[in-house]
Amino acid sequence: MWSTPPSPPPTSARSHGRTALSRRRGAEARRSSDGRPVEQSPGCDVLSPVACACGSCAACAAGDQQVCERQTQPGFTHWGSFAEYVAIENADVNLVALPEEMTFPTAASLGCRFATAFRAVVTVGRVRPGEWVAVHGCGGVGLSAVMIAAAAGARVVAVDVSPQALDLARRFGAAACVTAAPAAPDTPPDGAGAAARVRKLTGGGAHVSIDALGSPQTCASSIEGLRRRGRHVQIGLLPGLTSLPMNRVIGYELELLGSHGMAAHAYPSMLEMVAAGLLRPDLLITRTVGLDGAGPALAAIGSVPGVTMILPGDPAGLRHP
């Protein structure tokens, strides 16, 4: 497990997120992690978590494959997912059979962002109906968290510097939005002001607050926007050592929780909510590009609100027959 994931090789196919893989039968992939056979046909369709587990370490034995001691991540530990084919090691513990009625765009939109947000909201954050949930950073992960928390019955406050991102957050269920835009150009986002506005909107602070971006400012703002005994969930990776308002953590008895992906065996509950229409990850998609457009899209990340989907082949073929 890394405090910061290793950098990918200088010449490689980047990206660690990938789902909706159409896979040919392999000798080692006998069953998916949820027990369903995956070699019934030469083109069985599957999902894969962002962090692939070894299946044999102590963490895996305890069911915590998302923090596997020998995990691999395409794009970090080896060639990544901006490719037509991606190698998945230890397939028996890293594949989930794709429901027959689910389209590839819907499955692919689950990606790293949606599954990570699902576990952060439901399992780690323990969000309950009626609670206030603040989501700091409304990119792909943050918008997913907004949608999932709203579906769980929470009242959501979305925080971002982009008016366009906040418009999407409202569309996906945010009850209120807070801008953290800097007061002047070339200055940091207004994290302290955003935290104060979250506390005012929620009548004393959020019950659960999520840093979906990963910066010292959003992390501190997330913590400072909590009410007493609130729960902070850190999803976004932070650069190196980060100063935190620990006096507030102690005085308010706050919980600081890390959340890292989701194990393959935990996918069925999320897929059931998607199948029932309670979650619509496909609505997060605001742009599609071909495989040859992946590099420019990555270089321009953050310029287009919502989720950009890479279609490696003919979009008309990205559905189940």
Side-chain angles (χ1 to χ4, degrees):
M1 185 66 193
W2 320 289
S3 56
T4 301
S7 297
T11 302
S12 66
R14 304 299 177 95
S15 175
H16 59 283
R18 74 272 159 210
T19 51
L21 305 177
S22 182
R23 186 193 58 80
R24 290 191 179 277
R25 181 168 53 187
E28 297 182 1
R30 295 174 296 277
R31 288 186 176 272
S32 64
S33 65
D34 58 357
R36 294 172 62 184
V38 297
E39 60 171 17
Q40 297 302 312
S41 65
C44 185
D45 301 321
V46 294
L47 308 177
S48 172
V50 56
C52 292
C54 71
S56 58
C57 69
C60 287
D64 296 324
Q65 286 91 339
Q66 76 281 355
V67 290
C68 169
E69 298 166 19
R70 294 185 288 273
Q71 67 184 255
T72 59
Q73 290 191 24
F76 286 121
T77 59
H78 57 285
W79 279 67
S81 304
F82 290 164
E84 293 185 13
Y85 298 96
V86 180
I88 302 297
E89 299 179 8
N90 304 303
D92 277 8
V93 294
N94 292 310
L95 296 182
V96 181
L98 184 63
E100 292 184 1
E101 68 278 5
M102 185 175 290
T103 66
F104 274 175
T106 296
S109 63
L110 297 174
C112 165
R113 68 197 71 80
F114 203 87
T116 295
F118 185 87
R119 184 170 177 275
V121 170
V122 175
T123 305
V124 179
R126 311 186 305 278
V127 169
R128 295 184 286 267
E131 289 188 321
W132 280 105
V133 176
V135 178
H136 294 256
C138 292
V141 175
L143 290 173
S144 299
V146 168
M147 178 183 289
I148 295 161
R155 295 169 289 176
V156 182
V157 179
V159 184
D160 202 279
V161 299
S162 165
Q164 294 79 15
L166 292 177
D167 286 343
L168 286 176
R170 290 188 187 93
R171 177 185 173 192
F172 299 138
C177 292
V178 168
T179 179
D186 301 321
T187 60
D190 183 17
R197 289 189 286 277
V198 168
R199 292 194 301 270
K200 182 176 180 179
L201 280 167
T202 58
H207 297 87
V208 179
S209 192
I210 297 170
D211 177 10
L213 176 65
S215 76
Q217 293 82 13
T218 52
C219 180
S221 182
S222 175
I223 293 170
E224 291 170 351
L226 285 167
R227 66 181 59 208
R228 286 165 172 78
R229 309 213 75 191
R231 309 182 292 281
H232 164 78
V233 182
Q234 188 67 38
I235 302 177
L237 294 173
L238 293 164
L241 299 177
T242 301
S243 178
L244 300 178
M246 291 306 296
N247 284 344
R248 192 177 195 89
V249 173
I250 296 167
Y252 278 28
E253 290 192 350
L254 304 178
E255 293 183 52
L256 302 187
L257 304 162
S259 191
H260 182 259
M262 186 166 76
H265 68 75
Y267 271 60
S269 59
M270 176 182 68
L271 296 178
E272 288 171 5
M273 292 186 70
V274 173
L278 300 174
L279 296 174
R280 291 291 307 276
D282 56 304
L283 296 180
L284 298 170
I285 304 168
T286 55
R287 178 176 63 160
T288 59
V289 298
L291 190 56
D292 57 354
L298 182 62
I301 193 168
S303 62
V304 178
V307 171
T308 296
M309 177 175 290
I310 298 167
L311 306 178
D314 178 8
L318 293 179
R319 290 181 178 272
H320 282 285

